[in-house]
Amino acid sequence: MSATPTGIGRRWLQWLALALSLTGCAQFVPQTIALRGDWPSGVPRAIELRDVPFFPQTAYQCGPAALATTMNAAGAQVLPDDLVAQVYLPARQGSLQLEMLAAPRRHGLVSWQIPPDYSSLLSELAAGHPVLVLQDLGIGPLRQWHYAVVVGFDYAAGDVVLRSGENQRQVMPFTVFELTWRRSDYWAMVVTPPGVIPANATQASYLPALLAFDRNATPQAARTAWQAFLSRWPGHALASLALGNRLYGERNLTGAESVLRAGIQTHPASTEMLNNLAQVLAEQGRNDEALGVIERAAAQPGSFAAEVATTRAGILQRMAR
Amino acid sequence: MKSVTMKMLCRFLIPAMLTLSLQTASAGIIATDQAAAVANAQPDRTLVLAALERNDIRDQLQAQGVDPADARARVAAMSDLEVRTLAGTIGTAPVGADATFLALVAAGVLVWYVFYRK
């Protein structure tokens, strides 16, 4: 971008937009067209997240720069240079989408790929989350993948506002942006601190993001994330198990007990929750209760017969002492 | 021949043991990963496979010029599903990069704009 004066770049984009709107080809920008009749509810017509910081990219490193932009907006203090060793592939001179999703977890942040549409992008911005997108800036059959961060839009003016490359405030028409974004199948992600759930998250789509986050998170960060998930979707089986395990890991046995009990109330046949509850009770010295719970687990047909048998044997051993 | 077999065996056994030791870190408790794998209809055996896939991705990252210690940490930050998705596509998946090519295109557009537009 450095060789291109901004004014000229903008002018040709406007030209392209004009050409498109004249031909009126809905198949080129289906989502921009769809917005005309179906604006996402609760989203204002113009937003700009002015406080989102800017890190100009150095050679080939739009990935680390865009990632640093979103991560700092989510509260981490990290520079693009720190992220190079975490997402950059020297041989390919770029960064993979999956690694862009993985890296924020190493800094205590939750990353999530949002649904591939304008309406999700706009509502994430309305919720205050800048959106990291993958664009293809190439022409014709040539591909030129590029990461940038959408920080705002003005629908009346028809503009999308980005932090991109060396450009702190790049303004692009909705149509042109869609053309560049569409070739990545509308790939976009948000980064949030644990406890903040993205605007478009659903139980099923957000769960894998938290499971991935849980793998490397500190006990406290994981606990915060699962607590938020459970207050949004109470009684969820795997989330209850995960939070129970984190509390157990912190030796908060009564906390783990109450979370597991709440989960079991919704899912009475969950072998894994019954098993873990039995263990938690046994470690509090409540062996009789524990035995009752593990018997319930043993009565369930499930994948954890071996684990349940081990837990049961352990409880009986405690009782024999 | 014998060393090749041994190497294969070790490649299989070491991650298997690592995985199993992780999974049984606290006796009596079913780990979140374990439950998630079952929820995704993947039998326990795939945990071993997942460990092998992780090693594979790590090697591929190194082949792309990533420092060995960095490669290990990068793979550790991925979920099993992500590792599986990435397997075999590292060399071909889109990589967001610089806009040097774009500068050339922009120069072309500039020429067109100045000389041919009228």
Side-chain angles (χ1 to χ4, degrees), chain A residues 157-188:
Chain A
D159 290 335
V160 173
V161 184
L162 303 111
R163 305 255 185 278
S164 177
E166 293 168 358
N167 205 336
Q168 173 152 18
R169 191 172 182 282
Q170 184 179 50
V171 180
M172 232 186 220
F174 268 70
T175 45
V176 176
F177 176 73
E178 178 169 358
L179 281 174
T180 64
W181 186 33
R182 187 187 166 190
R183 298 219 227 168
S184 72
D185 294 327
Y186 302 99
W187 189 89

Side-chain angles (χ1 to χ4, degrees), chain A residues 251-271:
Chain A
R251 303 307 298 163
N252 180 352
L253 296 180
T254 50
E257 181 189 340
S258 73
V259 167
L260 288 170
R261 281 195 192 281
I264 289 167
Q265 203 158 29
T266 326
H267 303 272
S270 162
T271 323

Side-chain angles (χ1 to χ4, degrees), chain A residues 1 18 26 104 221 226 260 269 301:
Chain A
M1 261 334 248
L18 179 68
W226 287 119
L260 288 170

Side-chain angles (χ1 to χ4, degrees), chain A residues 121-239:
Chain A
L121 178 120
L122 301 178
S123 43
E124 289 302 339
L125 289 166
H129 308 141
V131 181
L132 198 162
V133 292
L134 179 61
Q135 296 172 283
D136 177 8
L137 303 178
I139 299 284
L142 297 163
R143 291 279 175 270
Q144 182 61 53
W145 299 108
H146 177 71
Y147 290 111
V149 180
V150 183
V151 296
F153 59 89
D154 182 341
Y155 191 66
D159 290 335
V160 173
V161 184
L162 303 111
R163 305 255 185 278
S164 177
E166 293 168 358
N167 205 336
Q168 173 152 18
R169 191 172 182 282
Q170 184 179 50
V171 180
M172 232 186 220
F174 268 70
T175 45
V176 176
F177 176 73
E178 178 169 358
L179 281 174
T180 64
W181 186 33
R182 187 187 166 190
R183 298 219 227 168
S184 72
D185 294 327
Y186 302 99
W187 189 89
M189 62 178 270
V190 290
V191 173
T192 54
V196 176
I197 299 177
N200 298 281
T202 61
Q203 183 176 300
S205 66
Y206 194 55
L207 182 71
L210 276 200
L211 285 169
F213 175 71
D214 183 88
R215 286 178 63 89
N216 294 288
T218 62
Q220 200 205 327
R223 179 158 41 80
T224 310
W226 287 119
Q227 275 164 345
F229 187 97
L230 283 168
S231 52
R232 173 78 69 87
W233 298 289
H236 185 275
L238 202 45

Side-chain angles (χ1 to χ4, degrees), chain A residues 100-114:
Chain A
M100 297 289 281
L101 283 163
R105 295 173 199 144
R106 296 170 67 180
H107 299 263
L109 298 172
V110 184
S111 49
W112 183 61
Q113 189 186 336
I114 69 170

